[in-house]
PDB file of all heavy atoms in Angstrom:
ATOM      1  N   MET A   1       1.626  45.152-198.373  1.00  0.00           N
ATOM      2  CA  MET A   1       2.435  46.345-198.589  1.00  0.00           C
ATOM      3  C   MET A   1       1.968  47.509-197.722  1.00  0.00           C
ATOM      4  O   MET A   1       2.715  48.452-197.471  1.00  0.00           O
ATOM      5  CB  MET A   1       2.406  46.757-200.065  1.00  0.00           C
ATOM      6  CG  MET A   1       3.018  45.746-201.022  1.00  0.00           C
ATOM      7  SD  MET A   1       4.735  45.348-200.643  1.00  0.00           S
ATOM      8  CE  MET A   1       5.512  46.938-200.792  1.00  0.00           C
ATOM      9  N   ARG A   2       0.720  47.433-197.222  1.00  0.00           N
ATOM     10  CA  ARG A   2       0.226  48.477-196.330  1.00  0.00           C
ATOM     11  C   ARG A   2       1.057  48.565-195.060  1.00  0.00           C
ATOM     12  O   ARG A   2       1.056  49.586-194.364  1.00  0.00           O
ATOM     13  CB  ARG A   2      -1.224  48.187-195.941  1.00  0.00           C
ATOM     14  CG  ARG A   2      -2.231  48.267-197.075  1.00  0.00           C
ATOM     15  CD  ARG A   2      -3.588  47.761-196.608  1.00  0.00           C
ATOM     16  NE  ARG A   2      -4.590  47.850-197.646  1.00  0.00           N
ATOM     17  CZ  ARG A   2      -5.808  47.304-197.550  1.00  0.00           C
ATOM     18  NH1 ARG A   2      -6.134  46.637-196.454  1.00  0.00           N
ATOM     19  NH2 ARG A   2      -6.662  47.423-198.538  1.00  0.00           N
ATOM     20  N   MET A   3       1.760  47.483-194.731  1.00  0.00           N
ATOM     21  CA  MET A   3       2.553  47.445-193.507  1.00  0.00           C
ATOM     22  C   MET A   3       3.812  48.292-193.612  1.00  0.00           C
ATOM     23  O   MET A   3       4.404  48.657-192.603  1.00  0.00           O
ATOM     24  CB  MET A   3       2.955  46.004-193.190  1.00  0.00           C
ATOM     25  CG  MET A   3       1.790  45.058-192.958  1.00  0.00           C
ATOM     26  SD  MET A   3       2.334  43.326-192.837  1.00  0.00           S
ATOM     27  CE  MET A   3       3.377  43.407-191.376  1.00  0.00           C
ATOM     28  N   LEU A   4       4.251  48.595-194.825  1.00  0.00           N
ATOM     29  CA  LEU A   4       5.543  49.255-195.039  1.00  0.00           C
ATOM     30  C   LEU A   4       5.388  50.766-195.160  1.00  0.00           C
ATOM     31  O   LEU A   4       4.585  51.256-195.962  1.00  0.00           O
ATOM     32  CB  LEU A   4       6.209  48.713-196.305  1.00  0.00           C
ATOM     33  CG  LEU A   4       6.370  47.195-196.415  1.00  0.00           C
ATOM     34  CD1 LEU A   4       7.068  46.841-197.720  1.00  0.00           C
ATOM     35  CD2 LEU A   4       7.149  46.653-195.230  1.00  0.00           C
ATOM     36  N   PHE A   5       6.177  51.504-194.377  1.00  0.00           N
ATOM     37  CA  PHE A   5       6.251  52.954-194.494  1.00  0.00           C
ATOM     38  C   PHE A   5       7.624  53.311-195.046  1.00  0.00           C
ATOM     39  O   PHE A   5       8.638  52.768-194.609  1.00  0.00           O
ATOM     40  CB  PHE A   5       6.066  53.631-193.131  1.00  0.00           C
ATOM     41  CG  PHE A   5       4.775  53.293-192.435  1.00  0.00           C
ATOM     42  CD1 PHE A   5       4.668  53.419-191.062  1.00  0.00           C
ATOM     43  CD2 PHE A   5       3.674  52.859-193.137  1.00  0.00           C
ATOM     44  CE1 PHE A   5       3.491  53.115-190.400  1.00  0.00           C
ATOM     45  CE2 PHE A   5       2.483  52.546-192.503  1.00  0.00           C
ATOM     46  CZ  PHE A   5       2.397  52.670-191.130  1.00  0.00           C
ATOM     47  N   GLY A   6       7.670  54.255-195.978  1.00  0.00           N
ATOM     48  CA  GLY A   6       8.967  54.672-196.509  1.00  0.00           C
ATOM     49  C   GLY A   6       8.899  54.994-197.984  1.00  0.00           C
ATOM     50  O   GLY A   6       7.818  55.135-198.575  1.00  0.00           O
ATOM     51  N   ASP A   7      10.063  55.137-198.589  1.00  0.00           N
ATOM     52  CA  ASP A   7      10.195  55.385-200.028  1.00  0.00           C
ATOM     53  C   ASP A   7      10.875  54.173-200.631  1.00  0.00           C
ATOM     54  O   ASP A   7      12.040  53.900-200.319  1.00  0.00           O
ATOM     55  CB  ASP A   7      11.041  56.638-200.287  1.00  0.00           C
ATOM     56  CG  ASP A   7      10.462  57.883-199.621  1.00  0.00           C
ATOM     57  OD1 ASP A   7       9.248  57.892-199.355  1.00  0.00           O
ATOM     58  OD2 ASP A   7      11.225  58.835-199.370  1.00  0.00           O
ATOM     59  N   PHE A   8      10.188  53.441-201.508  1.00  0.00           N
ATOM     60  CA  PHE A   8      10.782  52.189-201.973  1.00  0.00           C
ATOM     61  C   PHE A   8      10.120  51.669-203.245  1.00  0.00           C
ATOM     62  O   PHE A   8       9.005  52.066-203.622  1.00  0.00           O
ATOM     63  CB  PHE A   8      10.653  51.106-200.890  1.00  0.00           C
ATOM     64  CG  PHE A   8       9.230  50.846-200.465  1.00  0.00           C
ATOM     65  CD1 PHE A   8       8.387  50.031-201.195  1.00  0.00           C
ATOM     66  CD2 PHE A   8       8.725  51.452-199.323  1.00  0.00           C
ATOM     67  CE1 PHE A   8       7.072  49.815-200.817  1.00  0.00           C
ATOM     68  CE2 PHE A   8       7.411  51.242-198.926  1.00  0.00           C
ATOM     69  CZ  PHE A   8       6.584  50.422-199.680  1.00  0.00           C
ATOM     70  N   ALA A   9      10.845  50.760-203.893  1.00  0.00           N
ATOM     71  CA  ALA A   9      10.318  49.924-204.971  1.00  0.00           C
ATOM     72  C   ALA A   9      10.744  48.503-204.641  1.00  0.00           C
ATOM     73  O   ALA A   9      11.871  48.273-204.204  1.00  0.00           O
ATOM     74  CB  ALA A   9      10.887  50.357-206.323  1.00  0.00           C
ATOM     75  N   ALA A  10       9.842  47.543-204.805  1.00  0.00           N
ATOM     76  CA  ALA A  10      10.137  46.167-204.435  1.00  0.00           C
ATOM     77  C   ALA A  10       9.612  45.207-205.489  1.00  0.00           C
ATOM     78  O   ALA A  10       8.560  45.456-206.103  1.00  0.00           O
ATOM     79  CB  ALA A  10       9.531  45.832-203.073  1.00  0.00           C
ATOM     80  N   ALA A  11      10.349  44.119-205.682  1.00  0.00           N
ATOM     81  CA  ALA A  11       9.923  43.059-206.599  1.00  0.00           C
ATOM     82  C   ALA A  11       9.961  41.736-205.847  1.00  0.00           C
ATOM     83  O   ALA A  11      10.948  41.417-205.182  1.00  0.00           O
ATOM     84  CB  ALA A  11      10.843  43.003-207.811  1.00  0.00           C
ATOM     85  N   ILE A  12       8.870  40.974-205.938  1.00  0.00           N
ATOM     86  CA  ILE A  12       8.774  39.670-205.270  1.00  0.00           C
ATOM     87  C   ILE A  12       8.420  38.613-206.314  1.00  0.00           C
ATOM     88  O   ILE A  12       7.354  38.695-206.944  1.00  0.00           O
ATOM     89  CB  ILE A  12       7.694  39.681-204.169  1.00  0.00           C
ATOM     90  CG1 ILE A  12       7.970  40.783-203.152  1.00  0.00           C
ATOM     91  CG2 ILE A  12       7.606  38.328-203.489  1.00  0.00           C
ATOM     92  CD1 ILE A  12       6.853  40.949-202.133  1.00  0.00           C
ATOM     93  N   TRP A  13       9.290  37.647-206.497  1.00  0.00           N
ATOM     94  CA  TRP A  13       9.007  36.519-207.384  1.00  0.00           C
ATOM     95  C   TRP A  13       8.628  35.326-206.511  1.00  0.00           C
ATOM     96  O   TRP A  13       9.424  34.855-205.708  1.00  0.00           O
ATOM     97  CB  TRP A  13      10.204  36.192-208.257  1.00  0.00           C
ATOM     98  CG  TRP A  13      10.096  34.863-208.960  1.00  0.00           C
ATOM     99  CD1 TRP A  13      10.910  33.782-208.812  1.00  0.00           C
ATOM    100  CD2 TRP A  13       9.102  34.479-209.911  1.00  0.00           C
ATOM    101  NE1 TRP A  13      10.494  32.735-209.609  1.00  0.00           N
ATOM    102  CE2 TRP A  13       9.375  33.144-210.294  1.00  0.00           C
ATOM    103  CE3 TRP A  13       7.989  35.134-210.466  1.00  0.00           C
ATOM    104  CZ2 TRP A  13       8.593  32.440-211.213  1.00  0.00           C
ATOM    105  CZ3 TRP A  13       7.209  34.433-211.391  1.00  0.00           C
ATOM    106  CH2 TRP A  13       7.513  33.118-211.750  1.00  0.00           C
ATOM    107  N   ASP A  14       7.378  34.882-206.646  1.00  0.00           N
ATOM    108  CA  ASP A  14       6.850  33.762-205.874  1.00  0.00           C
ATOM    109  C   ASP A  14       6.791  32.552-206.795  1.00  0.00           C
ATOM    110  O   ASP A  14       5.837  32.389-207.573  1.00  0.00           O
ATOM    111  CB  ASP A  14       5.459  34.110-205.338  1.00  0.00           C
ATOM    112  CG  ASP A  14       4.917  33.072-204.373  1.00  0.00           C
ATOM    113  OD1 ASP A  14       5.429  31.938-204.384  1.00  0.00           O
ATOM    114  OD2 ASP A  14       3.979  33.392-203.618  1.00  0.00           O
ATOM    115  N   ALA A  15       7.804  31.689-206.714  1.00  0.00           N
ATOM    116  CA  ALA A  15       7.895  30.534-207.617  1.00  0.00           C
ATOM    117  C   ALA A  15       6.747  29.562-207.400  1.00  0.00           C
ATOM    118  O   ALA A  15       6.266  28.937-208.361  1.00  0.00           O
ATOM    119  CB  ALA A  15       9.239  29.834-207.414  1.00  0.00           C
ATOM    120  N   SER A  16       6.276  29.401-206.153  1.00  0.00           N
ATOM    121  CA  SER A  16       5.208  28.446-205.874  1.00  0.00           C
ATOM    122  C   SER A  16       3.896  28.843-206.545  1.00  0.00           C
ATOM    123  O   SER A  16       3.063  27.993-206.853  1.00  0.00           O
ATOM    124  CB  SER A  16       4.998  28.316-204.361  1.00  0.00           C
ATOM    125  OG  SER A  16       4.527  29.543-203.808  1.00  0.00           O
ATOM    126  N   ARG A  17       3.707  30.135-206.788  1.00  0.00           N
ATOM    127  CA  ARG A  17       2.484  30.623-207.431  1.00  0.00           C
ATOM    128  C   ARG A  17       2.750  31.097-208.850  1.00  0.00           C
ATOM    129  O   ARG A  17       1.830  31.576-209.519  1.00  0.00           O
ATOM    130  CB  ARG A  17       1.873  31.757-206.602  1.00  0.00           C
ATOM    131  CG  ARG A  17       1.356  31.304-205.241  1.00  0.00           C
ATOM    132  CD  ARG A  17       0.890  32.487-204.409  1.00  0.00           C
ATOM    133  NE  ARG A  17       0.248  32.070-203.170  1.00  0.00           N
ATOM    134  CZ  ARG A  17       0.889  31.703-202.072  1.00  0.00           C
ATOM    135  NH1 ARG A  17       2.228  31.708-202.059  1.00  0.00           N
ATOM    136  NH2 ARG A  17       0.242  31.316-200.998  1.00  0.00           N
ATOM    137  N   ASN A  18       3.994  31.007-209.279  1.00  0.00           N
ATOM    138  CA  ASN A  18       4.390  31.482-210.608  1.00  0.00           C
ATOM    139  C   ASN A  18       3.902  32.923-210.809  1.00  0.00           C
ATOM    140  O   ASN A  18       3.305  33.271-211.815  1.00  0.00           O
ATOM    141  CB  ASN A  18       3.829  30.579-211.706  1.00  0.00           C
ATOM    142  CG  ASN A  18       4.595  30.753-213.016  1.00  0.00           C
ATOM    143  OD1 ASN A  18       5.787  31.072-213.022  1.00  0.00           O
ATOM    144  ND2 ASN A  18       3.914  30.557-214.129  1.00  0.00           N
ATOM    145  N   ARG A  19       4.191  33.770-209.792  1.00  0.00           N
ATOM    146  CA  ARG A  19       3.678  35.133-209.787  1.00  0.00           C
ATOM    147  C   ARG A  19       4.771  36.121-209.425  1.00  0.00           C
ATOM    148  O   ARG A  19       5.591  35.870-208.536  1.00  0.00           O
ATOM    149  CB  ARG A  19       2.537  35.243-208.774  1.00  0.00           C
ATOM    150  CG  ARG A  19       1.961  36.648-208.637  1.00  0.00           C
ATOM    151  CD  ARG A  19       0.771  36.683-207.708  1.00  0.00           C
ATOM    152  NE  ARG A  19       1.140  36.470-206.316  1.00  0.00           N
ATOM    153  CZ  ARG A  19       0.269  36.541-205.305  1.00  0.00           C
ATOM    154  NH1 ARG A  19      -1.008  36.777-205.550  1.00  0.00           N
ATOM    155  NH2 ARG A  19       0.663  36.338-204.061  1.00  0.00           N
ATOM    156  N   LEU A  20       4.771  37.241-210.131  1.00  0.00           N
ATOM    157  CA  LEU A  20       5.678  38.343-209.830  1.00  0.00           C
ATOM    158  C   LEU A  20       4.866  39.513-209.328  1.00  0.00           C
ATOM    159  O   LEU A  20       3.845  39.875-209.911  1.00  0.00           O
ATOM    160  CB  LEU A  20       6.453  38.761-211.086  1.00  0.00           C
ATOM    161  CG  LEU A  20       7.308  40.027-210.959  1.00  0.00           C
ATOM    162  CD1 LEU A  20       8.531  39.766-210.080  1.00  0.00           C
ATOM    163  CD2 LEU A  20       7.746  40.522-212.334  1.00  0.00           C
ATOM    164  N   LEU A  21       5.316  40.119-208.230  1.00  0.00           N
ATOM    165  CA  LEU A  21       4.693  41.324-207.704  1.00  0.00           C
ATOM    166  C   LEU A  21       5.683  42.476-207.775  1.00  0.00           C
ATOM    167  O   LEU A  21       6.827  42.347-207.336  1.00  0.00           O
ATOM    168  CB  LEU A  21       4.255  41.128-206.245  1.00  0.00           C
ATOM    169  CG  LEU A  21       3.224  40.044-205.959  1.00  0.00           C
ATOM    170  CD1 LEU A  21       2.943  39.986-204.460  1.00  0.00           C
ATOM    171  CD2 LEU A  21       1.939  40.280-206.731  1.00  0.00           C
ATOM    172  N   LEU A  22       5.248  43.583-208.335  1.00  0.00           N
ATOM    173  CA  LEU A  22       6.058  44.797-208.395  1.00  0.00           C
ATOM    174  C   LEU A  22       5.312  45.866-207.596  1.00  0.00           C
ATOM    175  O   LEU A  22       4.178  46.222-207.938  1.00  0.00           O
ATOM    176  CB  LEU A  22       6.249  45.256-209.839  1.00  0.00           C
ATOM    177  CG  LEU A  22       6.931  44.258-210.782  1.00  0.00           C
ATOM    178  CD1 LEU A  22       6.962  44.814-212.202  1.00  0.00           C
ATOM    179  CD2 LEU A  22       8.342  43.934-210.316  1.00  0.00           C
ATOM    180  N   ALA A  23       5.925  46.367-206.525  1.00  0.00           N
ATOM    181  CA  ALA A  23       5.239  47.288-205.625  1.00  0.00           C
ATOM    182  C   ALA A  23       6.004  48.595-205.491  1.00  0.00           C
ATOM    183  O   ALA A  23       7.233  48.621-205.499  1.00  0.00           O
ATOM    184  CB  ALA A  23       5.060  46.641-204.248  1.00  0.00           C
ATOM    185  N   ARG A  24       5.238  49.669-205.299  1.00  0.00           N
ATOM    186  CA  ARG A  24       5.821  51.010-205.186  1.00  0.00           C
ATOM    187  C   ARG A  24       5.257  51.711-203.959  1.00  0.00           C
ATOM    188  O   ARG A  24       4.115  51.473-203.558  1.00  0.00           O
ATOM    189  CB  ARG A  24       5.482  51.803-206.457  1.00  0.00           C
ATOM    190  CG  ARG A  24       6.302  53.055-206.678  1.00  0.00           C
ATOM    191  CD  ARG A  24       5.997  53.613-208.043  1.00  0.00           C
ATOM    192  NE  ARG A  24       6.588  54.925-208.238  1.00  0.00           N
ATOM    193  CZ  ARG A  24       6.120  55.812-209.115  1.00  0.00           C
ATOM    194  NH1 ARG A  24       5.071  55.514-209.862  1.00  0.00           N
ATOM    195  NH2 ARG A  24       6.699  56.990-209.230  1.00  0.00           N
ATOM    196  N   ASP A  25       6.035  52.597-203.350  1.00  0.00           N
ATOM    197  CA  ASP A  25       5.612  53.245-202.108  1.00  0.00           C
ATOM    198  C   ASP A  25       4.387  54.137-202.315  1.00  0.00           C
ATOM    199  O   ASP A  25       3.982  54.429-203.441  1.00  0.00           O
ATOM    200  CB  ASP A  25       6.772  54.053-201.510  1.00  0.00           C
ATOM    201  CG  ASP A  25       7.171  55.225-202.386  1.00  0.00           C
ATOM    202  OD1 ASP A  25       6.438  56.228-202.413  1.00  0.00           O
ATOM    203  OD2 ASP A  25       8.213  55.140-203.062  1.00  0.00           O
ATOM    204  N   CYS A  26       3.811  54.569-201.204  1.00  0.00           N
ATOM    205  CA  CYS A  26       2.525  55.266-201.226  1.00  0.00           C
ATOM    206  C   CYS A  26       2.513  56.518-202.098  1.00  0.00           C
ATOM    207  O   CYS A  26       1.538  56.798-202.791  1.00  0.00           O
ATOM    208  CB  CYS A  26       2.107  55.629-199.799  1.00  0.00           C
ATOM    209  SG  CYS A  26       1.658  54.214-198.781  1.00  0.00           S
ATOM    210  N   PHE A  27       3.590  57.300-202.054  1.00  0.00           N
ATOM    211  CA  PHE A  27       3.614  58.560-202.782  1.00  0.00           C
ATOM    212  C   PHE A  27       4.442  58.496-204.065  1.00  0.00           C
ATOM    213  O   PHE A  27       4.644  59.518-204.726  1.00  0.00           O
ATOM    214  CB  PHE A  27       4.135  59.674-201.868  1.00  0.00           C
ATOM    215  CG  PHE A  27       3.237  59.925-200.693  1.00  0.00           C
ATOM    216  CD1 PHE A  27       3.579  59.486-199.425  1.00  0.00           C
ATOM    217  CD2 PHE A  27       2.030  60.581-200.846  1.00  0.00           C
ATOM    218  CE1 PHE A  27       2.749  59.695-198.334  1.00  0.00           C
ATOM    219  CE2 PHE A  27       1.188  60.810-199.757  1.00  0.00           C
ATOM    220  CZ  PHE A  27       1.552  60.356-198.508  1.00  0.00           C
ATOM    221  N   GLY A  28       4.921  57.311-204.405  1.00  0.00           N
ATOM    222  CA  GLY A  28       5.634  57.148-205.666  1.00  0.00           C
ATOM    223  C   GLY A  28       6.970  57.857-205.716  1.00  0.00           C
ATOM    224  O   GLY A  28       7.398  58.307-206.780  1.00  0.00           O
ATOM    225  N   VAL A  29       7.649  57.960-204.584  1.00  0.00           N
ATOM    226  CA  VAL A  29       8.956  58.616-204.560  1.00  0.00           C
ATOM    227  C   VAL A  29       9.981  57.776-205.328  1.00  0.00           C
ATOM    228  O   VAL A  29      10.773  58.298-206.112  1.00  0.00           O
ATOM    229  CB  VAL A  29       9.427  58.836-203.109  1.00  0.00           C
ATOM    230  CG1 VAL A  29      10.834  59.426-203.083  1.00  0.00           C
ATOM    231  CG2 VAL A  29       8.455  59.753-202.376  1.00  0.00           C
ATOM    232  N   ALA A  30       9.963  56.470-205.095  1.00  0.00           N
ATOM    233  CA  ALA A  30      10.869  55.561-205.804  1.00  0.00           C
ATOM    234  C   ALA A  30      10.175  55.040-207.056  1.00  0.00           C
ATOM    235  O   ALA A  30       9.057  54.527-206.976  1.00  0.00           O
ATOM    236  CB  ALA A  30      11.269  54.398-204.902  1.00  0.00           C
ATOM    237  N   PRO A  31      10.798  55.145-208.227  1.00  0.00           N
ATOM    238  CA  PRO A  31      10.152  54.666-209.450  1.00  0.00           C
ATOM    239  C   PRO A  31      10.322  53.156-209.629  1.00  0.00           C
ATOM    240  O   PRO A  31      11.227  52.551-209.053  1.00  0.00           O
ATOM    241  CB  PRO A  31      10.908  55.426-210.547  1.00  0.00           C
ATOM    242  CG  PRO A  31      12.288  55.610-209.974  1.00  0.00           C
ATOM    243  CD  PRO A  31      12.082  55.807-208.485  1.00  0.00           C
ATOM    244  N   LEU A  32       9.440  52.562-210.414  1.00  0.00           N
ATOM    245  CA  LEU A  32       9.553  51.141-210.740  1.00  0.00           C
ATOM    246  C   LEU A  32       8.910  50.924-212.107  1.00  0.00           C
ATOM    247  O   LEU A  32       7.693  51.071-212.266  1.00  0.00           O
ATOM    248  CB  LEU A  32       8.884  50.271-209.681  1.00  0.00           C
ATOM    249  CG  LEU A  32       9.002  48.750-209.862  1.00  0.00           C
ATOM    250  CD1 LEU A  32      10.457  48.342-210.049  1.00  0.00           C
ATOM    251  CD2 LEU A  32       8.393  48.015-208.682  1.00  0.00           C
ATOM    252  N   TYR A  33       9.744  50.587-213.089  1.00  0.00           N
ATOM    253  CA  TYR A  33       9.308  50.449-214.469  1.00  0.00           C
ATOM    254  C   TYR A  33       9.297  48.986-214.891  1.00  0.00           C
ATOM    255  O   TYR A  33      10.042  48.163-214.358  1.00  0.00           O
ATOM    256  CB  TYR A  33      10.261  51.218-215.395  1.00  0.00           C
ATOM    257  CG  TYR A  33      10.488  52.659-215.008  1.00  0.00           C
ATOM    258  CD1 TYR A  33      11.587  53.023-214.217  1.00  0.00           C
ATOM    259  CD2 TYR A  33       9.626  53.666-215.419  1.00  0.00           C
ATOM    260  CE1 TYR A  33      11.800  54.347-213.860  1.00  0.00           C
ATOM    261  CE2 TYR A  33       9.832  54.987-215.072  1.00  0.00           C
ATOM    262  CZ  TYR A  33      10.926  55.324-214.287  1.00  0.00           C
ATOM    263  OH  TYR A  33      11.135  56.629-213.937  1.00  0.00           O
ATOM    264  N   TYR A  34       8.461  48.668-215.906  1.00  0.00           N
ATOM    265  CA  TYR A  34       8.487  47.323-216.472  1.00  0.00           C
ATOM    266  C   TYR A  34       8.123  47.373-217.944  1.00  0.00           C
ATOM    267  O   TYR A  34       7.452  48.293-218.429  1.00  0.00           O
ATOM    268  CB  TYR A  34       7.576  46.373-215.692  1.00  0.00           C
ATOM    269  CG  TYR A  34       6.108  46.737-215.657  1.00  0.00           C
ATOM    270  CD1 TYR A  34       5.199  46.200-216.588  1.00  0.00           C
ATOM    271  CD2 TYR A  34       5.599  47.601-214.677  1.00  0.00           C
ATOM    272  CE1 TYR A  34       3.852  46.510-216.538  1.00  0.00           C
ATOM    273  CE2 TYR A  34       4.249  47.913-214.620  1.00  0.00           C
ATOM    274  CZ  TYR A  34       3.374  47.366-215.557  1.00  0.00           C
ATOM    275  OH  TYR A  34       2.040  47.671-215.516  1.00  0.00           O
ATOM    276  N   HIS A  35       8.581  46.346-218.665  1.00  0.00           N
ATOM    277  CA  HIS A  35       8.369  46.275-220.111  1.00  0.00           C
ATOM    278  C   HIS A  35       7.999  44.846-220.480  1.00  0.00           C
ATOM    279  O   HIS A  35       8.726  43.900-220.167  1.00  0.00           O
ATOM    280  CB  HIS A  35       9.645  46.691-220.855  1.00  0.00           C
ATOM    281  CG  HIS A  35       9.590  46.445-222.329  1.00  0.00           C
ATOM    282  ND1 HIS A  35       8.674  47.041-223.156  1.00  0.00           N
ATOM    283  CD2 HIS A  35      10.356  45.638-223.126  1.00  0.00           C
ATOM    284  CE1 HIS A  35       8.871  46.648-224.403  1.00  0.00           C
ATOM    285  NE2 HIS A  35       9.871  45.793-224.404  1.00  0.00           N
TER     286      HIS A  35
END
């Protein structure tokens, strides 16, 4: 995620690792919530 510059929220579901990644930009401009 260090490679990305901007304002964003991203979700990556990796089925091979059974893992979910939820990422937010450096300054938290874009929100990303979970429950």
Side-chain angles (χ1 to χ4, degrees):
M1 296 302 300
R2 294 172 179 170
M3 299 171 63
L4 307 181
F5 302 157
D7 302 337
F8 57 81
I12 303 173
W13 167 242
D14 188 341
S16 65
R17 294 174 173 81
N18 200 30
R19 177 176 70 176
L20 172 71
L21 299 179
L22 301 176
R24 196 172 171 204
D25 66 75
C26 291
F27 296 105
V29 176
L32 183 52
Y33 308 95
Y34 61 94
H35 171 61

